[in-house]
Every structure is written in C-alpha cells, then in structure tokens.
Amino acid sequence: MNNWSEGYFTESTYTYGYYRELSPNFMRWCLLLKGIAAPEITEDSCHCELGYGQGLSANIHAAATPGKFFGTDFNPAHAAQANEFLSASGADAKFFEDSFEDFSKREDLPQFDSIGFHGIWTWVSAENRRHMLEVARRHLKSGGMLYNSYNCLPGWAPNAPMRELLILHDKYQRAGNADERVAAAMKFVGNLIDAEPVYLNFVPDFKRRFEQIKNQNAHYIAHEYLNLDWDLMYFADVAELCQEFKLDFAMSAIPAETNEAMYLSEKAREFLKTVSNPIIREQLKDYFINRQFRKDIFVRGVRRLSRTETYDKIFSTRYVLTTPAASVPMKVKVHQGELNLNEERYRPVIEYLERDNFRPKDLLEYLSTSQINPNALIEVIVVMAHTGHVMPCQSENAVKQVKRACERLNAHICERANFSGDIAFLASPLTGCGVEFGRFQQIFLAQYKAGNKTADKLAEAAWKILSRNGERMIVEEKEKLASENGEISHPRKMLETPEENVAHLKILAENFLKRLPVFKALMLV
Ligand SMILES: C[S@@+](CC[C@H](N)C(=O)[O-])C[C@H]1O[C@@H](n2cnc3c(N)ncnc32)[C@H](O)[C@@H]1O
C-alpha cells in the first residue's frame, strides 16, 4: 500500500463508468419533479465531483454543461486520465490530484452549484466522509445540490460476510498483482461455498450473489471489496450526518421514486401513511424494497416551489426520445416490481416526441391539445426518463455553449475506440448527459463522419481497423446453455475469416445507420 492511499485500493485503476445522476442538469430536473428549487445552470455556474475515478462522468459533464467544473481524485493515474480527456475537450475545468482532506482545505475554490460523488462514501473512512462533507460545508452555495450514492442497510446485511471473506483473504494471504489478488480471493470464497458452511442455509441468496460477482470486471471487484474501509450505513445515519453539514435530504435520484405507487405495494403505502417523519419514511422504504444501494440528492436549504410553478417548469422543459418509438417497451422494471404501461396513455406521448425526426420538444402544446391530464403526462415522462428512453434537455442557449467541447471529447473517445473498448458513452450537448454508445458505434461514427455512409463501407472500414490490430469479432451463438444452477449462458465464438467478420460488422453497421436519426437528435453526429 502507498502512503497516500489511506487504505483505498490503488494497485489497479478503476473502470470507465458513467453516471447520469452526477450531471447537474439531471440532478436539477429530479429536484424539479419533487417541486424543489435548484440553482439555474448558466455559464457562471460551478460544479464539482469528488473521487472522479477515470474522470469519464466528470469530463462528459464538464464538456456538456455550461459553466466551470472542478474535481479531485488522489490517484495520480486517474488524475492523468481525467486531464487527458480534458485536454481533448478544451472544457472549462480543473481536475486536481488532492486527497479529500487537502481539497477540503483549499482556499482557491469557488462556490459550487452542485457537488457529486458516486461510489465513494461506503469505501472510505469515517474521517474521509467528513472531509467530503466539509467541501460541501465550505463551498456549496445556499440552495446548491449534492449527490451521494452508497451501499446501504438493511439490504446489504445478509451478504456483508462475503466482503469480509474477500478482504480477510486479501489481508492475510495476499500474493501477486492486483488481478491475481482478486482471482485468489474469489477462488477462496468459491472453495468455501463448495465446502457448504451452515451459514449458507440461513442466507440462501449468498451463493447467487457470489456467482453474480464472479462475472464482474476484476478492477471493479478490487475497488468494491478490497478497500480497507467498507462501512455499510442506514439511510437515517447518512441523513443525520449530512444535516450536521447543513445538507437537507431532498429525494432519491431515481425518477420513478417520485411516485410511490410505482414501486411500493399497496400494503406498504398503507403502512407508510401511519408514519409522518420523512427520514423514518425514507428508511422504511429500504426495507420494503430490500434496497442495497442508494442514490440520494441533498440540498443546502430545501425550498419548495408552488405546484403551478413546478408544473410550468416541468412542461416547458424540452424532452428528447432516445429510442425509436416502436422499440420502447410497454413493461418497465422499477425495483422489485414490473409496471405494465397503459399503451393508450404512453404511446401517443412517445410518438409525439418522435415527430420531426426526434426533434426535442417541450410538452406545453401536447398538454393543451390532447385530453391528457397534467399528472398523467408527468407520470409518462417520469417513467420514460426512469428507463432512459426519454431525457430532459438543456436550453438552446446552453446547447450552443457546450456543442464544441462535446464534439472534441466525442472525437477523442471515438479515436480511442480504434484500440480499446473500455468506454461505452459519448457526451450529448442536448441533454448535458452521457449517452450509451459502444465501441463499434464509436468506430462507425468516426468513419461515417469521414465519409463512409453505407453499411458496406462502414463494415469494411471497421474491419481494416480490427485486422490491423490483430483483433477478431466475438459473437454470441444462437443456442443457449443451461448450467447446473439453472442459469442460462450464451456460448461465444470468435469469427475467424475476414468474410465472417465483415458480414457481422455489416449487421452492426446497419443497426447504427437505423439509429442515426436518434444520434442526430442527441447531437452526436
Ligand atoms: C470506486 S471509485 C469511483 C470512481 C468514480 N466516481 C466512478 O464511480 O466511476 C472511488 C474513487 O475515489 C478515489 N478516492 C478514494 N479515497 C480518496 C481520497 N481520500 N481522496 C481522494 N480520492 C479518493 C479513488 O482513487 C477512486 O478513483
């Protein structure tokens, strides 16, 4: 362990994840759904992300949001990566390599409109959690927003001993490099499960959970389970600590949770009617849905908007459909439940948003010309945003300001795709958020911009890149295999001949071309 790492796993770098909840635009829109005032986002706004990892979310948001961005992560390899993205985008940002403690003591930081941290809280010491909150106490504006996510109780309680086994092995029998340490600790737990400890009889989910973890990226496993610190907390304890730093709990950053009927049973809602304290109510919901991971938004001084102002702001926001209307499913998973959507209500809104080649639209005209009532329309937008099929957009003025930085960042990510598939997102100037966009789509996008406009040409161009690298396509075969524990796996095979590879790439290129109108609407093309 190095002397700067404070028990945090630093032997391997983190994955290139993207989290829309860290986007100031998305945070602001969530608060609006709940009728809570949030800062306007303008060229004078300032935002901050703590523990930005590889800096993908931080850079997407720095490029796609007007104003200035700041952030810190004490891992120098992470800071170097974040700053490489920043040089590519030319966004107005500063990414430091400070520890949370050093950052909290800086005298050269502005007042922030938003602060976000994702995947940090559980994995650092109590002292570091206070340093993070101290950044907010000193630098979050009155009315500013703060996003935090963490593993929570009671959902994690039965499986917490699994983490204990992993860290136990890593602490006392550690050998080899980061990947070998992960593999050895996983093998140790696997062998223990095979030896049938009686504990498993009482926690039947343990084995399933382990199988799930086994398939995850080794770097992710290391950062999730092999840090010396790993503190599970109840929501109420987090809220109480935040209160000490002048932060009020506002809401969960999961849009569908603005409507309890969407994810709580009737019995649960009846019971919750008997509980008036908002902190207890929120904590009880974690029992009702057996939640293991929370995504919370706090505000420095919650102020409520009137109902009419809330509605006006929600309906005058522009929205974009991110999936062709015909492909939007009418079943949606919300926590443990599945909603069957009312087609008569949902389809017309989705088709309206698809009109004029997915042009982003506010909902004022739709509301005044259709029979739908405001609450029903909000429900549609909330459910569609929950699944990501619809996203709220920034103002036209904001889009103009961020367009160039997004183009530059996206071009850099697409160029990287020639050699690596580690990033699966691009920045949308329209939404101010990232958009899922895999390696082959990135390669096709760069080639499309270079003038290869047909599926044949795109496939040939992509194959040239792959064959130059000595790479081959790996595809899932049609048949499915059922394993001993009943899980379905798809056997995968490598395509050997150039013809097979080009033919498969052509299928992917055809899909890419079909989705072009959406990509154009999101301003990725
Ligand atoms: C699990 S990663 C999450 C990264 C990123 N937020 C994401 O979700 O992709 C936690 C990050 O926090 C950083 N970190 C941990 N302790 C820190 C500290 N005391 N000061 C600064 N950064 C820290 C680590 O280097 C790591 O990049």
Side-chain angles (χ1 to χ4, degrees):
M1 197 199 303
N2 355 347
N3 58 8
W4 53 266
S5 64
E6 305 176 29
Y8 191 86
F9 191 90
T10 51
E11 270 83 329
S12 65
T13 51
Y14 199 54
T15 48
Y16 290 76
Y18 170 77
Y19 307 96
R20 69 175 178 178
E21 296 81 6
L22 290 162
S23 147
N25 278 292
F26 189 74
M27 255 188 251
R28 187 171 191 281
W29 183 74
C30 287
L31 287 169
L32 180 58
L33 292 179
K34 197 81 176 163
I36 296 176
E40 290 292 335
I41 294 170
T42 71
E43 61 266 43
D44 299 323
S45 303
C46 292
H47 306 284
C48 176
E49 189 185 328
L50 301 180
Y52 49 63
Q54 300 286 9
L56 185 64
S57 302
N59 272 285
I60 287 178
H61 299 143
T65 318
K68 254 183 183 314
F69 241 87
F70 292 77
T72 196
D73 193 299
F74 69 2
N75 187 325
H78 290 172
Q81 178 61 76
N83 281 298
E84 182 188 302
F85 288 138
L86 181 60
S87 317
S89 75
D92 193 357
K94 275 194 170 148
F95 294 129
F96 296 97
E97 195 198 290
D98 293 348
S99 67
F100 297 142
E101 180 175 10
D102 290 346
F103 194 74
S104 74
K105 292 178 179 156
R106 273 189 172 270
E107 294 298 340
D108 56 353
L109 297 177
Q111 290 298 102
F112 299 126
D113 295 85
S114 77
I115 297 178
F117 28 95
H118 178 86
I120 319 280
W121 188 259
T122 304
W123 299 267
V124 295
S125 64
E127 214 182 353
N128 269 315
R129 285 193 283 276
R130 295 186 79 88
H131 293 315
M132 293 163 83
L133 294 180
E134 178 64 6
V135 175
R137 194 192 63 75
R138 289 191 63 213
H139 297 287
L140 188 64
K141 280 183 189 167
S142 317
M145 330 175 259
L146 181 134
Y147 168 73
N148 181 15
S149 63
Y150 50 97
N151 283 353
C152 63
L153 292 168
W156 248 105
N159 285 317
M162 179 161 349
R163 186 267 173 182
E164 177 61 19
L165 288 169
L166 291 167
I167 193 77
L168 205 61
H169 183 275
D170 196 57
K171 217 157 122 184
Y172 295 107
Q173 294 191 40
R174 168 185 312 182
N177 64 26
D179 287 356
E180 287 162 353
R181 279 168 59 186
V182 170
M186 292 298 288
K187 190 162 183 281
F188 172 70
V189 179
N191 290 345
L192 180 98
I193 291 174
D194 291 343
E196 300 176 357
V198 173
Y199 178 75
L200 299 201
N201 299 350
F202 293 86
V203 186
D205 189 45
F206 196 91
K207 200 168 162 188
R208 186 197 61 82
R209 187 74 189 214
F210 177 70
E211 292 300 322
Q212 217 179 29
I213 296 172
K214 245 174 42 182
N215 296 325
Q216 288 170 327
N217 175 304
H219 292 199
Y220 170 80
I221 296 176
H223 285 251
E224 174 81 30
Y225 301 105
L226 302 187
N227 290 310
L228 287 187
D229 293 300
W230 196 75
D231 290 337
L232 298 174
M233 290 176 78
Y234 284 100
F235 160 77
D237 294 330
V238 176
E240 198 174 305
L241 183 57
C242 287
Q243 263 292 316
E244 223 187 280
F245 291 79
K246 295 184 135 183
L247 297 163
D248 301 333
F249 174 69
M251 64 187 298
S252 147
I254 297 173
E257 288 186 38
T258 50
N259 186 338
E260 289 181 356
M262 280 187 207
Y263 71 106
L264 294 174
S265 67
E266 215 175 311
K267 274 190 178 168
R269 281 178 280 141
E270 274 310 305
F271 179 78
L272 287 175
K273 277 185 194 157
T274 66
V275 181
S276 58
N277 179 286
I279 299 293
I280 303 179
R281 278 187 108 252
E282 194 61 30
Q283 166 103 43
L284 293 184
K285 289 179 195 169
D286 291 347
Y287 285 77
F288 280 118
I289 61 175
N290 190 29
R291 198 203 297 268
Q292 298 176 2
F293 189 70
R294 284 197 64 95
K295 299 175 173 186
D296 290 343
I297 303 178
F298 292 81
V299 172
R300 185 173 178 127
V302 165
R303 283 173 308 131
R304 304 267 164 202
L305 301 171
S306 71
R307 196 178 162 85
T308 47
E309 190 178 357
T310 303
Y311 278 26
D312 181 65
K313 283 185 189 302
I314 292 175
F315 295 129
S316 55
T317 297
R318 297 183 305 154
Y319 296 89
V320 62
L321 185 69
T322 63
T323 310
S327 311
V328 176
M330 287 292 112
K331 269 188 199 290
V332 169
K333 217 175 146 358
V334 183
H335 296 304
Q336 317 298 357
E338 192 170 62
L339 297 177
N340 284 310
L341 306 182
N342 172 345
E343 296 224 13
E344 277 178 27
R345 177 182 295 175
Y346 279 72
R347 284 268 170 236
V349 183
I350 293 165
E351 281 160 13
Y352 175 75
L353 289 174
E354 193 180 49
R355 275 190 218 155
D356 311 332
N357 277 327
F358 297 81
R359 178 177 61 78
K361 302 167 195 74
D362 66 45
L363 296 171
L364 295 168
E365 188 191 323
Y366 187 83
L367 187 65
S368 62
T369 54
S370 71
Q371 301 301 316
I372 197 162
N373 80 45
N375 287 333
L377 184 53
I378 289 176
E379 181 204 291
V380 175
I381 289 299
V382 163
V383 172
M384 288 295 109
H386 177 79
T387 54
H389 294 308
V390 168
M391 279 295 284
C393 306
Q394 315 196 74
S395 69
E396 288 182 37
N397 188 26
V399 171
K400 270 191 213 136
Q401 290 175 46
V402 302
K403 193 167 168 282
R404 189 75 195 101
C406 289
E407 273 169 12
R408 286 193 294 238
L409 178 63
N410 291 344
H412 177 76
I413 294 174
C414 290
E415 185 155 344
R416 231 180 120 103
N418 289 345
F419 307 104
S420 140
D422 52 10
I423 299 182
F425 296 89
L426 293 183
S428 165
L430 182 69
T431 61
C433 291
V435 175
E436 219 172 314
F437 211 87
R439 180 184 183 196
F440 292 103
Q441 289 176 314
Q442 292 168 23
I443 292 177
F444 293 145
L445 179 57
Q447 292 302 325
Y448 184 86
K449 286 188 169 177
N452 291 313
K453 306 277 182 193
T454 64
D456 283 317
K457 284 189 172 171
L458 288 171
E460 285 294 344
W463 173 237
K464 237 188 219 166
I465 292 166
L466 295 189
S467 54
R468 206 169 50 210
N469 296 343
E471 291 183 271
R472 302 278 179 277
M473 299 294 290
I474 296 175
V475 294
E476 273 182 1
E477 299 200 83
K478 285 206 178 78
E479 66 266 33
K480 296 172 182 175
L481 295 180
S483 67
E484 258 176 63
N485 59 12
E487 291 202 359
I488 301 291
S489 75
H490 299 260
R492 287 149 67 88
K493 79 166 186 187
M494 189 182 279
L495 301 180
E496 293 298 345
T497 67
E499 294 73 24
E500 278 179 313
N501 278 278
V502 172
H504 187 70
L505 282 163
K506 190 176 166 194
I507 298 171
L508 300 186
E510 281 162 356
N511 283 336
F512 168 83
L513 290 173
K514 262 190 223 150
R515 296 208 57 201
L516 262 184
V518 171
F519 300 151
K520 285 185 177 163
L522 288 164
M523 304 180 70
L524 304 176
V525 183

